[in-house]
Amino acid sequence: LPSFMCIAIFSSRTHIFHKPKNNPKTLHKMFRLAKFDIREGGYNREMINVEHVYPILNNSPSLQNQNYQDILQIAQRRRSSNNPSSDEKDNDTHANNNNDNGITKEEKEVNIWVYIQNNPKPPTSLHPIPQSYVDIILRGCLSISHDFAMHFLKHTHGWYSANNNDTKKKEEGDYIWINDRHVPIYVRADPMYSKEMGKEIDELIQLYHLDAFVRRKNV
């Protein structure tokens, strides 16, 4: 997939499967998804095939929850169904099996959505990266594992302007990243978390983005 920004939506396990559209629970879920669409203004919601989902960190304790494991199992069964073994192809019973390698009708309807930014633009001093937002992102990464947070930091870019370089002196108006922890501008900021974890998060960031970190402006 090309590079993009996204948010994955994980339903609670009781709502992992679709129900008939006249089911109140399904209507409620659709309403919540519509509200999510409004919240994520500037992004398009796109569906990805569950069979394209693979685990990236098998040893993460937080990824051992049943909902996550259900999705991985469904993904594996879908892949097996789309690429049956030679023995299965020759098996008449398999050919007539309505469950397709054990896949139920409800499992076929399981979807995963991502939000893709409509018109991505690099940050500027007028629209900088707020540290309060970075803290929330890394809180989510750390809730999976420390390794996942490192993976995120290693594979993100755009932390400082391409006009900057290692030898350029930091100018007053030359910044695209602000430390707003004392006065958060991100609407879903968590000041208590930032206060508690700020030092640790800063240390993690500096492992991969030291040049950008020293250019971060305090506000």
Side-chain angles (χ1 to χ4, degrees):
L1 291 176
S3 176
F4 59 84
M5 297 177 64
C6 67
I7 300 175
I9 303 175
F10 286 85
S11 302
S12 64
R13 187 165 188 261
T14 55
H15 294 143
I16 190 172
F17 302 125
H18 288 283
K19 302 295 183 182
K21 289 188 176 181
N22 61 349
N23 186 294
K25 289 185 178 180
T26 297
L27 294 176
H28 176 66
K29 183 171 67 173
M30 293 171 63
F31 175 72
R32 291 179 60 192
L33 192 56
K35 290 179 65 177
F36 219 108
D37 289 344
I38 295 172
R39 197 193 87 170
E40 299 302 321
Y43 291 78
N44 286 326
R45 176 164 49 89
E46 303 286 349
M47 186 176 72
I48 61 175
N49 292 327
V50 175
E51 54 263 37
H52 295 164
V53 175
Y54 295 85
I56 61 172
L57 295 169
N58 291 313
N59 60 344
S60 173
S62 64
L63 297 185
Q64 301 307 311
N65 68 77
Q66 192 60 51
N67 184 56
Y68 180 77
Q69 292 302 316
D70 285 347
I71 292 176
L72 291 182
Q73 290 171 14
I74 292 169
Q76 180 58 47
R77 286 198 290 270
R78 284 192 183 181
R79 287 192 290 270
S80 298
S81 178
N82 291 336
N83 299 284
S85 66
S86 57
D87 291 340
E88 289 174 331
K89 290 179 181 178
D90 295 335
N91 191 322
D92 291 337
T93 302
H94 172 77
N96 295 323
N97 189 350
N98 292 328
N99 283 341
D100 296 330
N101 276 353
I103 301 176
T104 66
K105 180 180 178 181
E106 290 80 6
E107 289 176 341
K108 290 180 180 180
E109 296 176 351
V110 172
N111 296 318
I112 293 180
W113 303 90
V114 295
Y115 283 87
I116 302 175
Q117 197 169 13
N118 292 335
N119 185 26
K121 296 180 180 179
T124 67
S125 58
L126 293 178
H127 302 284
I129 303 168
Q131 184 62 50
S132 56
Y133 178 52
V134 176
D135 288 350
I136 295 300
I137 293 174
L138 287 174
R139 181 177 68 177
C141 293
L142 288 167
S143 71
I144 296 174
S145 72
H146 184 275
D147 287 345
F148 186 74
M150 293 295 92
H151 180 88
F152 170 82
L153 290 170
K154 181 179 179 180
H155 294 282
T156 55
H157 57 86
W159 293 81
Y160 69 94
S161 172
N163 294 326
N164 290 332
N165 56 57
D166 293 342
T167 60
K168 182 177 179 180
K169 182 179 179 180
K170 181 180 176 182
E171 303 292 343
E172 180 64 25
D174 183 29
Y175 64 90
I176 61 169
W177 179 12
I178 59 174
N179 182 5
D180 64 330
R181 284 174 176 150
H182 295 296
V183 187
I185 63 175
Y186 179 52
V187 294
R188 285 177 286 278
D190 186 343
M192 292 299 295
Y193 178 83
S194 293
K195 181 178 180 180
E196 178 183 349
M197 295 293 294
K199 184 175 183 295
E200 179 178 337
I201 286 175
D202 285 352
E203 291 173 351
L204 295 180
I205 293 172
Q206 290 178 76
L207 293 176
Y208 293 98
H209 304 288
L210 179 60
D211 291 339
F213 184 83
V214 298
R215 292 178 171 89
R216 186 182 67 176
K217 181 178 180 179
N218 293 320
V219 297

